[in-house]
Amino acid sequence: MKKRTISDLLKEKGTSVLSINENKDVGEAVAVMNVEKVGSLLVKDDSDKYSGIITERDLLIHLSTCTKDLCTYKVKEIMSRDLICASPEDTLDKASNVMTTNDIRHLPVVSKKEIVGVISMKDIVNFVRSGLEEETKYLKDYISDEYPR
């Protein structure tokens, strides 16, 4: 069986990339994340270049230590600056290992120096699970002699 790649997952999930300017208030980032039902946003600087990522974990870490209303902080004050990225050709095994090793749940996907998507650990789990359900159905049909020959 062919190893599934990030490219396979993106074909099903889509390649939408949500971002926010680093000078926006954290409250605005939270609002976008809630409306879009996502756990992260890529962050861009004023020259429209990616400068980091803001995640639910970033929000929780800073919420426990902030001295003012978290919503009044700027995104750049709490975002994660070092983007760890993957390639569309990477296998899902490799992507999940990168996420686990680096203790992250969101992984931007880069092709030809451009971000072409973002995947999450949840995306990988759901994609693999759907493939296993399909494979299980075919195996059950084969065993019960309902598989076309």
Side-chain angles (χ1 to χ4, degrees):
M1 179 192 247
K2 174 186 171 271
K3 287 266 189 184
R4 293 169 139 201
T5 65
I6 292 174
S7 180
D8 297 329
L9 189 158
L10 287 175
K11 285 176 191 165
E12 185 172 299
K13 177 190 181 217
T15 57
S16 174
V17 177
L18 299 172
S19 64
I20 191 165
N21 182 279
E22 65 185 10
N23 292 306
K24 297 287 186 180
D25 290 336
V26 168
E28 189 172 334
V30 170
V32 172
M33 291 166 73
N34 280 327
V35 167
E36 298 295 336
K37 295 180 174 57
V38 295
S40 69
L41 296 172
L42 291 181
V43 180
K44 290 184 173 185
D45 62 20
D46 288 331
S47 61
D48 213 33
K49 292 188 178 165
Y50 291 103
S51 58
I53 187 169
I54 185 167
T55 67
E56 295 164 323
R57 182 171 292 149
D58 293 323
L59 295 168
L60 288 173
I61 288 169
H62 286 83
L63 183 61
S64 67
T65 61
C66 63
T67 56
K68 60 181 181 177
D69 182 3
L70 182 63
C71 291
T72 62
Y73 282 87
K74 299 298 178 194
V75 169
K76 66 182 173 186
E77 294 179 272
I78 73 165
M79 70 182 192
S80 298
R81 293 195 176 276
D82 296 325
L83 280 179
I84 299 169
C85 300
S87 164
E89 295 78 31
D90 289 341
T91 65
L92 296 181
D93 284 343
K94 180 177 180 181
S96 62
N97 285 335
V98 166
M99 289 181 186
T100 302
T101 301
N102 291 284
D103 198 26
I104 59 175
R105 292 181 295 177
H106 303 91
L107 195 60
V109 182
V110 176
S111 178
K112 299 177 185 169
K113 298 183 181 182
E114 294 291 324
I115 294 182
V116 296
V118 178
I119 63 169
S120 68
M121 189 63 83
K122 180 181 174 183
D123 294 331
I124 293 174
V125 168
N126 288 338
F127 186 71
V128 169
R129 189 186 77 215
S130 70
L132 291 174
E133 289 170 353
E134 186 176 332
E135 186 176 340
T136 300
K137 180 194 176 311
Y138 287 125
L139 289 172
K140 284 180 178 178
D141 288 349
Y142 180 77
I143 291 169
S144 65
D145 210 22
E146 292 178 23
Y147 190 78
R149 295 180 193 251

